[in-house]
Amino acid sequence: MALGEADETWPKIVEDAARGQLKDVYSPVDDFGQERKPSLKEYPAIPWDKINLDQFNLVPKMVKRTLQRISDGWGTFRIIPMESGRGCPYGCEFCTVTGFFGDSIRFAPTKAW
């Protein structure tokens, strides 16, 4: 079982699995037994020039052709999922963000975007 955010524990899980020595529980804790939240500073830069953005286009191909006849640039509507931080101070009962990532917001540096 993996507890907490997996940034630090996932590589350990993979290494242990490759050696055939998986532990029962993996949890990122500090020397005092408190959950350690990973830094978001080490996020890799997003290679926007190498990403095929067409995969995020929500306009169906049949409609896209028709819209492009109307005007250049029509026929494209993209929603690109992106994480800019973790955590939330609100704790809404319908949401898991606070329970999983904590009740304070941690932001990734802008260099990653």
Side-chain angles (χ1 to χ4, degrees):
M1 175 179 5
L3 303 174
E5 298 178 39
D7 300 64
E8 294 178 16
T9 55
W10 185 248
K12 294 175 187 174
I13 293 170
V14 171
E15 289 171 12
D16 290 354
R19 288 193 316 267
Q21 299 175 348
L22 281 172
K23 298 176 187 172
D24 291 334
V25 178
Y26 290 85
S27 180
V29 293
D30 62 19
D31 295 336
F32 302 104
Q34 299 292 317
E35 181 182 5
R36 181 175 51 242
K37 299 284 186 184
S39 169
L40 302 181
K41 293 180 181 177
E42 302 303 319
Y43 267 37
I46 297 172
W48 292 110
D49 58 331
K50 295 184 173 87
I51 295 175
N52 177 7
L53 296 177
D54 287 336
Q55 66 184 316
F56 300 108
N57 191 358
L58 299 179
V59 178
K61 288 182 182 178
M62 180 187 280
V63 177
K64 181 179 177 178
R65 288 186 208 115
T66 304
L67 289 172
Q68 285 177 332
R69 286 187 210 137
I70 296 171
S71 179
D72 190 35
W74 284 55
T76 301
F77 180 74
R78 297 182 181 118
I79 294 180
I80 302 172
M82 182 182 298
E83 180 183 60
S84 62
R86 295 183 186 170
C88 176
Y90 300 112
C92 301
E93 64 182 48
F94 58 84
C95 183
T96 62
V97 170
T98 302
F100 192 77
F101 293 116
D103 61 359
S104 63
I105 301 174
R106 296 178 292 132
F107 292 100
T110 56
K111 73 170 183 64
W113 320 120

